[in-house]
Amino acid sequence: MGALTLRGITKRYGTVVACDAVDLDVERGEIHGLLGENGAGKSTLMRILLGLETRDAGTILRDGRPVTAGSPREAVALGIGMVHQHFSLVEPLTVWENVILGDTGRIRRSRACAEIHEMSQRYGLPVDPLATVASLSAGERQRVELIKCLRRDPAVLILDEPTSVLTRAESAELFAVLRRVVRSEGRAVVLISHKLAEITAATDRVTVLRHGRVVFRSATAATDVAELARQMVGREVADAAALGLIPAAPHVPEKAQGDPALRIRGLTAPGLTGIDLEVRPGEIAGLYGAEGNGQAQIGDVLCGLVTPDAGTVEVGGVPVDLRTPGALHTAGLGIVPEDRHRAAVVPAMSVAANLTMKDLGTRVWLDRRRLRRRARELAAEFGVVATSLDAPLSSLSGGNQQRVVLARELSGDPRVLVLAQPTQGLDVGAAEDLHERLRRCAHDGMAVLLISTEIEEVLGLADRVLVIASGRVAGELHAAEATPEQLGMLVGGGAG
């Protein structure tokens, strides 16, 4: 009997069937991949398992015994643990304080630190118990989340997009840990990921959901990336970058024209030193590097969240006063930031309001009928799936939230579009759609700056690649001559 068995799990929201008679079997000692497009029902299924949602029909069995989790605490008692896509850590607190959150009774720092140290050693998850979470890298934060979850000794461990903010090395390290946990302790792991190459490399079996139903099951060794993509979206996917594959043929760049639409000179801020870069109309410039080398800081400056210590930003040849709120938007720059929850959306506001934020202060914002009509047009054009435009944005899947941000930014017809990690958390179909939109934007004369840690994405889209390392631009290559090896050397500080 499997560690976790689901039979006929069904969940409806009004007329929308989020999960439609879902069956799933997860065995002890295996890593089971769970795939599906954004909105396919994966998150709803996991929320039911964790006691955050109540199923309308179906049975959940743990080791063959019917169970019901009425709350997250009851799910933990049943041996079900989850590490969510978005970290749930409290940044000002230390590692040990975050790990013991929720404990009752007398708390001793020395005992908690010793326990964390022992788990770090056992699972190969090195982390300093006394460090504040705010000082940790994304990979270190992921380790803390894993320790926090494993400390509760779950028999079934669910990981939702665990590598979305990790480097390749950190991802490989994570999967090595998971394999040890599965083999030595007989735990069952459910891995939810949109990175298909990751699924084929890390899992033993895979289940695919589409529109709330199971449409495909297979031993991972008996399938491949292309078949998994086809099962997810119901059609062939030809975009190598969306599939997470290096393009087979060299990219032929579009012809960039005229003076730079975006020019950055001497940009210096915490984590950045003297950044120089230009993007011309009609080109996609890729800024590539390992996580934590300054990409996020460039995004923060261009979002208006951080005022640089030195340097200038010009849009269309005109210097922008970065001390003035909204100046970059007014100058014609649209941005899809890396952390949409922090810098791009208001989750508690409606989908319609988030779609039309660019109209703040104009008559359309005051005319509710015109606002709703505009929101409907954008939602239809960009394929935003929502139960209602009045629903809070937080009710949408991650991919649909990203579509909302992109729709809003492009609705203003910007001269320059900046995207930071734009396909993070997107399924293969949504990633293919976004890539095609970016190509069309550049073809129509827009300047596009793509900031990404995904080498496949950069090589598949960019006309020109700049590499950032340790807060500096370490080199530049044209698309036709860029290879993973050359980019790797530049990322590591070598010559291109």
Side-chain angles (χ1 to χ4, degrees):
M1 183 59 67
L4 178 67
T5 303
L6 308 183
R7 289 290 179 266
I9 300 298
T10 299
K11 179 65 181 178
R12 296 180 179 87
Y13 298 97
T15 60
V16 177
V17 183
C19 292
D20 189 356
V22 173
D23 292 347
L24 179 68
D25 295 279
V26 184
E27 304 290 340
R28 288 186 178 275
E30 79 164 347
I31 300 178
H32 195 114
L34 182 62
L35 293 175
E37 291 186 277
N38 299 117
K42 306 183 303 296
S43 295
T44 300
L45 196 63
M46 295 304 105
R47 288 175 64 82
I48 289 170
L49 278 176
L50 292 173
L52 296 169
E53 296 281 0
T54 303
R55 62 189 183 274
D56 296 321
T59 304
I60 301 172
L61 298 98
R62 273 278 296 112
D63 291 330
R65 179 172 57 91
V67 297
T68 296
S71 68
R73 188 178 292 276
E74 289 180 20
V76 169
L78 291 171
I80 301 171
M82 183 168 180
V83 176
H84 296 269
Q85 178 180 355
H86 299 290
F87 296 149
S88 58
L89 303 174
V90 183
E91 292 198 355
L93 299 184
T94 62
V95 168
W96 77 266
E97 289 169 327
N98 271 276
V99 169
I100 59 91
L101 279 176
D103 284 9
T104 57
R106 185 177 181 182
I107 304 297
R108 292 183 178 177
R109 184 178 73 171
S110 59
R111 181 180 297 171
C113 289
E115 187 178 3
I116 292 169
H117 179 72
E118 188 274 328
M119 295 191 71
S120 296
Q121 294 287 103
R122 188 198 321 172
Y123 293 114
L125 296 168
V127 67
D128 179 4
L130 298 178
T132 59
V133 166
S135 69
L136 302 181
S137 68
E140 289 170 325
R141 294 183 190 206
Q142 184 70 273
R143 293 173 201 163
V144 176
E145 290 278 19
L146 273 171
I147 289 172
K148 185 175 178 180
C149 187
L150 288 170
R151 179 172 175 262
R152 291 174 169 81
D153 196 28
V156 179
L157 176 60
I158 302 164
L159 300 178
D160 186 9
E161 298 290 346
T163 64
S164 61
V165 296
L166 302 188
T167 65
R168 286 171 174 265
E170 288 170 335
S171 297
E173 177 185 89
L174 171 64
F175 289 126
V177 169
L178 290 181
R179 188 53 67 188
R180 286 198 300 272
V181 166
V182 163
R183 286 178 176 167
S184 65
E185 301 182 1
R187 300 182 197 269
V189 174
V190 178
L191 174 62
I192 302 171
S193 177
H194 289 122
K195 298 181 180 181
L196 301 185
E198 190 172 271
I199 288 288
T200 57
T203 65
D204 302 298
R205 290 191 298 143
V206 62
T207 298
V208 179
L209 297 179
R210 192 192 321 148
H211 304 311
R213 289 189 167 195
V214 174
V215 295
F216 183 73
R217 295 186 181 90
S218 176
T220 308
T223 187
D224 58 22
V225 166
E227 175 65 13
L228 291 176
R230 188 177 71 80
Q231 293 292 343
M232 282 176 63
V233 302
R235 58 176 173 79
E236 299 295 334
V237 177
D239 186 343
L243 290 169
L245 303 174
I246 299 292
H251 177 67
V252 178
E254 295 282 344
K255 186 176 180 180
Q257 301 176 350
D259 295 328
L262 174 67
R263 178 185 281 125
I264 296 175
R265 287 286 178 267
L267 190 68
T268 300
L272 298 174
T273 306
I275 293 289
D276 293 340
L277 64 85
E278 295 180 351
V279 189
R280 296 181 182 276
E283 79 165 337
I284 300 176
L287 185 64
Y288 170 74
E291 186 77 32
N293 276 272
Q295 300 99 312
Q297 288 84 344
I298 291 176
D300 285 346
V301 170
L302 296 180
C303 275
L305 294 176
V306 170
T307 301
D309 300 321
T312 60
V313 175
E314 296 179 9
V315 177
V318 179
V320 179
D321 184 357
L322 300 177
R323 297 168 299 179
T324 302
L328 284 162
H329 161 58
T330 302
L333 185 141
I335 184 163
V336 179
E338 178 177 351
D339 188 343
R340 58 178 170 264
H341 289 154
R342 171 170 167 255
V345 299
V346 182
M349 290 178 64
S350 71
V351 175
N354 276 278
L355 276 166
T356 54
M357 277 182 182
K358 287 282 185 184
D359 297 309
L360 265 173
T362 67
R363 286 189 63 188
V364 70
W365 179 259
L366 301 176
D367 187 330
R368 292 180 63 86
R369 284 180 296 180
R370 290 182 64 187
L371 179 145
R372 287 190 63 79
R373 184 165 62 248
R374 181 60 173 151
R376 280 197 301 270
E377 291 170 354
L378 290 173
E381 180 183 351
F382 286 83
V384 176
V385 179
T387 55
S388 166
L389 292 177
D390 294 322
L393 189 86
S394 59
S395 67
L396 270 59
S397 67
N400 280 300
Q401 291 184 29
Q402 189 77 322
R403 286 188 176 102
V404 167
V405 178
L406 183 64
R408 186 187 66 224
E409 294 304 302
L410 287 179
S411 71
D413 296 321
R415 290 171 175 258
V416 179
L417 180 65
V418 179
L419 305 100
Q421 317 298 352
T423 56
Q424 181 175 295
L426 295 192
D427 63 68
V428 62
E432 184 181 45
D433 178 67
L434 184 141
H435 290 167
E436 183 55 35
R437 288 183 184 278
L438 296 190
R439 294 185 183 105
R440 289 204 300 269
C441 286
H443 184 268
D444 293 340
M446 190 180 297
V448 179
L449 176 62
L450 170 67
I451 304 173
S452 179
T453 58
E454 303 292 338
I455 194 168
E456 301 87 355
E457 186 167 58
V458 170
L459 290 177
L461 290 175
D463 305 311
R464 185 166 49 90
V465 183
L466 298 95
V467 174
I468 187 169
S470 301
R472 297 176 179 270
V473 174
E476 178 181 329
L477 293 168
H478 287 284
E481 62 190 34
T483 66
E485 294 75 21
Q486 288 172 310
L487 294 180
M489 287 182 66
L490 289 171
V491 167

